Amino acid sequence: MNNTTTDSPAKPLNFLEQIIKQDIESGKHNKVVTRFPPEPNGYLHIGHAKSICLNFGLAAEFGGECNLRFDDTNPAKEDQEYVDAIKKDVSWLGFNWAGDVRYASEYFDQFYEWALHLIKEGKAYVCHLSADETREYRGWATKPGKDSPQRDRSPEGNLADFEKMRAGEYEEGACVLRAKIDMTSPNMNMRDPMLYRIRKQSHHQTGDKWCIYPTYDFAHGQEDAIEGVTHSVCTLEFADHRPLYDWFTENLPVPSTPKQYEFARLELSYSVTSKRKLKQLVDEGHVDGWDDPRMPTISGMRRRGYTPASLRNFCEMIGVTKSASVIDVGQLEFCVRDDLNNTAPRAMCVLNPLKVTIENMPEGEVQIMTQPVHPNDESQGKRELPISREIYIDRADFTEDTTLSRKKFKRLVLGQYVRLRGSYVIKADAVITDENGEMLEVVASLIPNTVGENPPEGMKPRGVIHWVDANDCIDAEVRLYDRLFSDVAPDTGDKNFLDAINPESLTILSGCKAEKNLVRAQPEQSYQFEREGYFCLDSRYSTEDKPVFNRAIGLKDNWANKA
Ligand code: ATP
Ligand code: MG
């Protein structure tokens, strides 16, 4: 098999690998446990793929385990649809989570107990300030905060009040439970952060059992502690939350003390990697769903024909750092092209068909040509290509202009020769046009004995072009995708990312002609359409009568020269 991942033993360990290696060598941990903790409020995108590869990859590398845990603490935005999609995406990327999927909501009883524990210890209180007042009381970096009027209430008073919160006696927003830490801390996260808020909403896992829900901060570290996570890896924006993460594990009777580490989130050029903004693209109909092949979502990339290996290779290639940087989307495209070049079966499909009649081929005669499915992988076998009197070539592969040099135009020119891929050399003899001068058809002749053989002297083909048999091919629609955004950084500064949408990101070609072997095409199985790029069957729009193929990526990087 072809394998594009090169395991270079010399590759230096990234900072997380170094930490884990040390923790194992020092005996601090004998088993590594990591987790991937998505919030089920959208589909996963390429940034999540990086986090998945990192967390599952670290666990695999050090013989540990990685949990898949849904951080489902905010019922308002969450949905079962997202839970299912996320599970599918993680599996598709090639990773197995340890045991069952976990949900933060499974621990709600425990969180509640721990909230009571903090209240009893005088370390948490129910605060009745409004949202605006809370903001005002918090102060800012250089201005210490002010104490809430409820801050010094007795544990008994707080217990009773919290019980009322839980029983649904207060309206949403009327009060919250806060930790009592330090209203003067230079770290705003330590200024009595919120632990619980009222949300009178059904939850996709717990139904109507709760009307109070823990905050991310209160839940996250404790989820890690319950699960025995050793290394809790998150993105840099949580670095300021780390003291709070540690405060909880120090002040609660948790069963283990996980540690949080931060790495730089993945940002891609020409892309948006914010679930909220991706949701906006879907909700406002700028794209055709979360799995639109132009979306940087895992499901979109899958539908488009990207492979799990190409995404894993990409994540490996860009590495893990502590400083934010934008990765060129060309690197992702490189990985896709590289993997598909090594693995994708070959096929021929004519996107803009031009009929060619081979006059010296008798009517009704069919010859069968044979081609490898993959030029460098014999194990993929061979495929048969019929050829008869009528074939299609691409309009762009023929010209009447005989002044074009051989170097410039390595295709078919009137009066000259070209090789049909895997078949004969043919000569273009004449052009048939309609009354408006529109080209209808090329009349050609084949040069006998040229299958796999050079033609006689003086009949030098200009190049090799693809073709399909007009009498035995399938009609197909082909969808060409370009980048969804034409701005290298659509989501920076005060730009509105919607303004940067590329109006030419989708081109639909409906009259394409594909070799008949493609009736076996399945979604997610990309083919190289020779000379055109990599394509796979669309899982949504294909019908038995008319397959629709998505272009995953062209053969060459067309943007590299655009600068
Ligand atoms: P978004 O900002 O797009 O909503 P999020 O971080 O809120 O993303 P989560 O579902 O909470 O989404 O993310 C799950 C995990 O994936 C978290 O550990 C988060 O750090 C990580 N993650 C999210 N976006 C990226 C990214 N761009 N690069 C690397 N990791 C990411
Ligand atoms: Mg998040």
Side-chain angles (χ1 to χ4, degrees):
M1 267 306 287
N2 296 290
N3 191 346
T4 49
T5 339
T6 39
D7 279 329
S8 75
K11 194 163 191 234
L13 297 184
N14 66 44
F15 75 98
L16 290 167
E17 291 169 321
Q18 286 173 22
I19 290 168
I20 294 177
K21 186 162 173 270
Q22 255 169 25
D23 287 350
I24 287 177
E25 281 169 3
S26 73
K28 183 172 173 194
H29 297 296
N30 48 35
K31 182 173 162 196
V32 178
V33 182
T34 57
R35 85 287 171 266
F36 173 63
E39 186 181 350
N41 60 352
Y43 281 59
L44 299 182
H45 54 61
I46 183 72
H48 295 112
K50 174 168 177 177
S51 176
I52 293 168
C53 290
L54 179 59
N55 281 298
F56 283 91
L58 287 171
E61 183 181 345
F62 292 95
E65 289 184 341
C66 182
N67 295 342
L68 172 60
R69 180 211 307 149
F70 288 100
D71 234 322
D72 53 348
T73 51
N74 182 2
K77 293 185 181 162
E78 296 165 2
D79 199 278
Q80 185 65 36
E81 176 196 349
Y82 300 134
V83 170
D84 297 338
I86 290 170
K87 280 159 58 177
K88 182 171 174 187
D89 288 349
V90 174
S91 300
W92 178 79
L93 270 179
F95 297 107
N96 298 314
W97 49 87
D100 292 336
V101 169
R102 305 164 196 239
Y103 295 89
S105 53
E106 288 169 29
Y107 314 136
F108 281 175
D109 286 316
Q110 178 66 78
F111 296 157
Y112 182 73
E113 289 305 313
W114 282 338
L116 296 179
H117 177 90
L118 290 178
I119 296 173
K120 287 175 195 156
E121 301 262 303
K123 292 173 182 165
Y125 61 97
V126 176
C127 173
H128 288 261
L129 291 176
S130 68
D132 285 343
E133 288 166 332
T134 305
R135 212 168 300 124
E136 189 195 316
Y137 275 60
R138 255 180 115 209
W140 49 86
T142 52
K143 181 173 187 274
K146 264 193 324 189
D147 288 358
S148 154
Q150 285 84 38
R151 194 171 199 266
D152 289 320
R153 200 163 46 176
S154 70
E156 293 70 33
N158 281 313
L159 279 175
D161 216 15
F162 189 48
E163 188 43 46
K164 278 169 81 175
M165 260 177 83
R166 183 203 168 144
E169 291 179 31
Y170 291 117
E171 290 311 307
E172 279 191 22
C175 50
V176 299
L177 184 73
R178 296 174 71 174
K180 188 169 168 181
I181 306 181
D182 180 1
M183 286 307 291
T184 63
S185 172
N187 182 341
M188 301 299 283
N189 294 299
M190 302 301 273
R191 293 190 187 175
D192 292 10
M194 195 200 306
L195 307 183
Y196 267 94
R197 67 262 203 249
I198 301 169
R199 289 265 187 283
K200 297 201 169 168
Q201 297 222 354
S202 276
H203 185 282
H204 51 104
Q205 300 297 326
T206 57
D208 293 321
K209 178 170 177 192
W210 300 92
C211 65
I212 54 170
Y213 290 95
T215 55
Y216 172 89
D217 279 328
F218 186 53
H220 200 89
Q222 282 56 265
E223 295 156 13
D224 290 339
I226 292 170
E227 293 177 8
V229 167
T230 53
H231 298 80
S232 178
V233 180
C234 63
T235 42
L236 283 178
E237 62 274 23
F238 289 98
D240 285 349
H241 295 242
R242 190 171 356 111
L244 181 55
Y245 186 101
D246 291 337
W247 187 89
F248 287 126
T249 51
E250 279 156 24
N251 287 280
L252 287 170
V254 286
S256 76
T257 44
K259 289 288 168 204
Q260 175 184 303
Y261 301 92
E262 306 89 22
F263 73 103
R265 60 188 287 124
L266 167 62
E267 306 281 356
L268 261 193
S269 64
Y270 294 100
S271 297
V272 165
T273 44
S274 145
K275 265 189 275 185
R276 190 174 57 75
K277 290 181 178 148
L278 294 176
K279 186 166 190 307
Q280 193 180 343
L281 290 171
V282 175
D283 291 346
E284 293 179 5
H286 301 287
V287 294
D288 163 40
W290 284 96
D291 66 348
D292 184 301
R294 292 164 294 180
M295 290 280 270
T297 51
I298 296 179
S299 49
M301 295 187 282
R302 171 169 63 235
R303 187 169 152 205
R304 180 161 174 170
Y306 286 19
T307 57
S310 60
L311 297 187
R312 291 195 304 262
N313 293 347
F314 169 69
C315 293
E316 176 75 28
M317 179 164 116
I318 59 177
V320 181
T321 63
K322 275 175 117 68
S323 55
S325 68
V326 178
I327 304 289
D328 179 358
V329 69
Q331 290 197 50
L332 171 61
E333 294 166 350
F334 169 85
C335 291
V336 174
R337 210 175 268 125
D338 186 54
D339 186 47
L340 289 177
N341 183 34
N342 285 316
T343 56
R346 274 30 176 187
M348 291 197 281
C349 178
V350 175
L351 303 191
N352 294 298
L354 172 63
K355 193 167 170 190
V356 176
T357 301
I358 304 171
E359 280 210 311
N360 56 348
M361 184 98 169
E363 200 103 35
E365 179 175 328
V366 179
Q367 293 187 31
I368 304 294
M369 309 283 122
T370 318
Q371 277 287 285
V373 172
H374 192 289
N376 308 323
D377 180 8
E378 270 182 35
S379 72
Q380 295 199 25
K382 297 209 177 303
R383 67 191 215 271
E384 293 192 338
L385 297 167
I387 185 166
S388 63
R389 190 176 156 86
E390 284 90 26
I391 63 169
Y392 291 113
I393 65 169
D394 201 282
R395 232 155 233 284
D397 285 339
F398 175 74
T399 181
E400 295 171 87
D401 182 356
T402 52
T403 64
L404 287 176
S405 73
R406 283 186 164 262
K407 215 169 165 195
K408 259 222 163 104
F409 197 77
K410 299 180 176 170
R411 313 174 193 189
L412 184 59
V413 174
L414 186 61
Q416 301 186 21
Y417 300 87
V418 83
R419 177 175 291 285
L420 300 176
R421 177 70 160 169
S423 182
Y424 289 98
V425 171
I426 59 166
K427 176 170 180 251
D429 298 315
V431 174
I432 300 176
T433 49
D434 66 11
E435 61 270 26
N436 304 318
E438 258 324 289
M439 194 185 302
L440 292 180
E441 180 182 329
V442 174
V443 180
S445 47
L446 66 77
I447 313 304
N449 306 318
T450 50
V451 179
E453 302 287 339
N454 284 330
E457 277 290 311
M459 296 188 177
K460 193 162 178 259
R462 280 189 170 236
V464 182
I465 61 171
H466 61 287
W467 57 280
V468 297
D469 183 17
N471 296 306
D472 199 2
C473 63
I474 42 185
D475 291 309
E477 176 179 304
V478 165
R479 296 180 166 227
L480 305 179
Y481 299 103
D482 202 344
R483 290 176 184 165
L484 184 54
F485 297 101
S486 36
D487 188 317
V488 64
D491 194 20
T492 48
D494 46 15
K495 287 183 208 168
N496 179 350
F497 73 108
L498 296 177
D499 295 339
I501 291 181
N502 174 5
E504 274 147 37
S505 61
L506 169 62
T507 307
I508 298 182
L509 304 174
S510 55
C512 311
K513 303 284 183 183
E515 77 175 56
K516 64 169 190 178
N517 297 306
L518 286 167
V519 289
R520 289 191 289 272
Q522 295 294 324
E524 294 181 38
Q525 165 66 66
S526 284
Y527 288 81
Q528 185 191 93
F529 288 179
E530 298 198 51
R531 299 181 60 236
E532 293 291 358
Y534 297 96
F535 294 78
C536 80
L537 194 72
D538 186 74
S539 51
R540 175 144 345 139
Y541 295 118
S542 291
T543 63
E544 211 151 288
D545 296 336
K546 187 144 195 191
V548 174
F549 289 98
N550 295 318
R551 183 171 68 190
I553 190 124
L555 291 176
K556 288 197 204 90
D557 183 357
N558 289 325
W559 284 74
N561 310 322
K562 281 195 184 174

